[in-house]
Amino acid sequence: MDPEDWTEIVNEAFDRMTRTITRYEGIVARLMGDAVLAFFGARLAHEDDPERAVRCALDMIRSVDELGVRVQRDHGVTFGIRAGISTGQVFVGQVGTDAAHEFTAMGDAVNVAARMQAAARPGTVLITASTHRFVANVFETVDLGPLELKGKSEPVKAYEVAGIRSERASLRGLGATRSPMVGRDEQLAAMESVFAVVRAGQGRVVSILGEPGIGKSRLLADFRAEVESADPSPAWFEGRCISIGQSLPYHLVIDLVRSIIGVGAGAEEADVRAALESTLRTALRDEWSDAFAYLGQLLSLPLDDRNAARVAGLEIETVKRNVASIHRLLQATAEERPIVLVCEDLHWADPSSLAVLGRLLPLANEMPLLCIATSRADRGAPGWRLVAEVRETFGDALTELRLEPLSNEQSRQLVANLLEIESLPPKMREFILSKAEGNPFFVEEVIRMLIERGVLVRQGELWVATDAVSQVELPDNLQALLLARIDRLPENARRTLRVASVIGRQFGLKVSNACSNRASARDREVRAFQP
């Protein structure tokens, strides 16, 4: 090819890739010939950075494939990309000299990711086992077994990402070991009582508030199991927000509509179209076509000229028609059976979805509809505004459940359930409880880490500690969760936290202030003497 033509194509590919990386809040470390190195987790950490990286890679491939169609048509050349992803500890910072430097990541995880990329088939994403353990519940993968990679003395286990799961699985629990829910009997009973009212024909709203890992999703799962075991007829529609959702217009509403028509996020366009048409024809009969145009546009389905003309116009009018279409669909369903409408992780909801939900929630006053919203108690999140509105609108028709940390006795019971026996060494049990501090997710992850690292092994009927547990660090995904929360704090709060972490777990205010003032003075001196 002509060098100028080739340069134009490569530049457009880099532009598409870097825009995608930025959208997922990753960092472009460097461009290397025909490759790009990106990392997630610094400067800003998120609790789902591995998931973001995989979603980003899939979107980059999709975007460059669109470019590849044009390149094939205009130049007769096959054009595409492939991606490799690894997770691990690396050095992140400025590298180089005053004359030439860059902000980049260096370490074994970077090298492994590059080798995985080289081993991937064109148009695919390869991930290591270190990444797979964080994303196995979100993506369908193919186990490729161990791969021999250049520069690695031991084979590296690899997985090829096949796509997004139609339903998000759970990463909770320890393999085949699963504990009955502990410490949430009162909340479960309250939800069952509310649903009895809905069965009788009156709508209700439930909000479930709590910190990450406290058991919101588990409470929902157990409630659904109770509902469906008693009577499988109620319709269960569920939408879930994702951490990048605040920048994705209508992503929660789209997830809800997909649930209503019975298709997952990874469904093919033809399957989505067929499911939408079938659901609307059944529910709305002769009046289905208008709703198909508006909901089809919401789901990004290509529309024929007639339907495209229907949805043309002001966005605010389109939003009203979308709300009306979903309203009619739910109303038709409610005439046949009660409905449970679930919105998970509302703290990550986008403003557009919140506006639609605000118009749909009053349906709970008109039909046997139970609306359930789960959220963290984050008053700064856009979703908190909807929580506040629901309180004012529904009054006694609202049931608000706040999940608190488990007591020591409940945490001990959870540990005993997960490890199946009571004869766990007392020191090991106390270590787990001190690390987890009443958070069920933390309990599970600390135990998982101890088993995976061989610190906790089973010998006959006993779980035995094989190493000094005081030297064990928090599991990786707990570190990610904590780092993500720390990164959202103001700079002054982060500085105080860094100082406090050096002093120790408990510290006096005077000591903290003295250390903070001394650290601030030292920083000012350093800046003053910088060239």
Side-chain angles (χ1 to χ4, degrees), residues 406-476:
L406 300 180
S407 67
N408 275 347
E409 186 55 39
Q410 291 167 341
S411 296
R412 290 175 192 276
Q413 183 60 51
L414 178 57
V415 173
N417 290 346
L418 290 172
L419 297 181
E420 298 176 314
I421 57 176
E422 283 282 5
S423 52
L424 184 70
K427 286 186 178 180
M428 178 64 69
R429 185 184 290 112
E430 292 304 321
F431 170 78
I432 295 171
L433 297 179
S434 67
K435 286 285 189 182
E437 297 187 337
N439 188 299
F441 174 62
F442 284 21
V443 172
E444 292 179 3
E445 288 303 309
V446 172
I447 294 175
R448 186 200 302 272
M449 173 201 65
L450 294 174
I451 293 174
E452 288 179 349
R453 297 185 181 179
V455 175
L456 188 62
V457 297
R458 195 163 190 168
Q459 296 182 1
E461 292 300 315
L462 293 175
W463 287 97
V464 179
T466 61
D467 202 354
V469 296
S470 60
Q471 299 177 4
V472 178
E473 297 177 352
L474 284 172
D476 292 339

Side-chain angles (χ1 to χ4, degrees), residues 148-159:
E148 298 286 346
L149 300 182
K150 182 180 178 181
K152 299 295 293 182
S153 59
E154 298 291 334
V156 175
K157 190 166 187 179
Y159 297 83

Side-chain angles (χ1 to χ4, degrees), residues 296-530:
Q297 182 198 41
L298 183 69
L299 296 174
S300 300
L301 295 176
L303 301 177
D304 57 29
D305 292 341
R306 181 181 176 186
N307 283 326
R310 285 177 175 171
V311 300
L314 296 176
E315 181 182 356
I316 189 169
E317 184 62 30
T318 302
V319 171
K320 289 180 180 179
R321 295 298 183 93
N322 280 332
V323 172
S325 299
I326 300 172
H327 185 159
R328 292 164 58 202
L329 189 53
L330 292 174
Q331 200 166 34
T333 304
E335 291 174 0
E336 304 291 332
R337 50 187 176 154
I339 299 174
V340 181
L341 187 69
V342 178
C343 299
E344 281 210 68
D345 295 329
L346 205 60
H347 49 277
W348 285 329
D350 62 282
S352 302
S353 290
L354 292 171
V356 172
L357 286 175
R359 299 187 182 195
L360 288 176
L361 281 177
L363 293 177
N365 292 321
E366 305 174 13
M367 62 181 71
L369 171 66
L370 174 59
C371 296
I372 304 176
T374 71
S375 177
R376 299 174 187 174
D378 183 355
R379 296 178 180 276
W384 189 258
R385 176 174 50 83
L386 186 62
V387 173
E389 289 177 5
V390 167
R391 287 174 177 167
E392 296 177 3
T393 304
F394 288 92
D396 293 340
L398 167 67
T399 298
E400 187 170 286
L401 303 177
R402 285 183 174 268
L403 302 188
E404 302 296 338
L406 300 180
S407 67
N408 275 347
E409 186 55 39
Q410 291 167 341
S411 296
R412 290 175 192 276
Q413 183 60 51
L414 178 57
V415 173
N417 290 346
L418 290 172
L419 297 181
E420 298 176 314
I421 57 176
E422 283 282 5
S423 52
L424 184 70
K427 286 186 178 180
M428 178 64 69
R429 185 184 290 112
E430 292 304 321
F431 170 78
I432 295 171
L433 297 179
S434 67
K435 286 285 189 182
E437 297 187 337
N439 188 299
F441 174 62
F442 284 21
V443 172
E444 292 179 3
E445 288 303 309
V446 172
I447 294 175
R448 186 200 302 272
M449 173 201 65
L450 294 174
I451 293 174
E452 288 179 349
R453 297 185 181 179
V455 175
L456 188 62
V457 297
R458 195 163 190 168
Q459 296 182 1
E461 292 300 315
L462 293 175
W463 287 97
V464 179
T466 61
D467 202 354
V469 296
S470 60
Q471 299 177 4
V472 178
E473 297 177 352
L474 284 172
D476 292 339
N477 44 350
L478 297 193
Q479 287 183 335
L481 180 63
L482 296 172
L483 285 173
R485 299 189 69 184
I486 290 170
D487 279 353
R488 292 200 301 270
L489 295 173
E491 175 58 34
N492 287 343
R494 290 202 301 271
R495 172 184 292 277
T496 301
L497 188 59
R498 284 195 293 268
V499 171
S501 70
V502 175
I503 299 172
R505 185 175 180 83
Q506 296 181 342
F507 52 88
L509 183 59
K510 290 183 178 179
V511 175
S512 174
N513 286 339
C515 291
S516 295
N517 293 336
R518 188 166 296 181
S520 298
R522 185 175 64 251
D523 286 349
R524 287 194 296 271
E525 290 174 2
V526 169
R527 285 195 296 270
F529 285 100
Q530 281 180 340

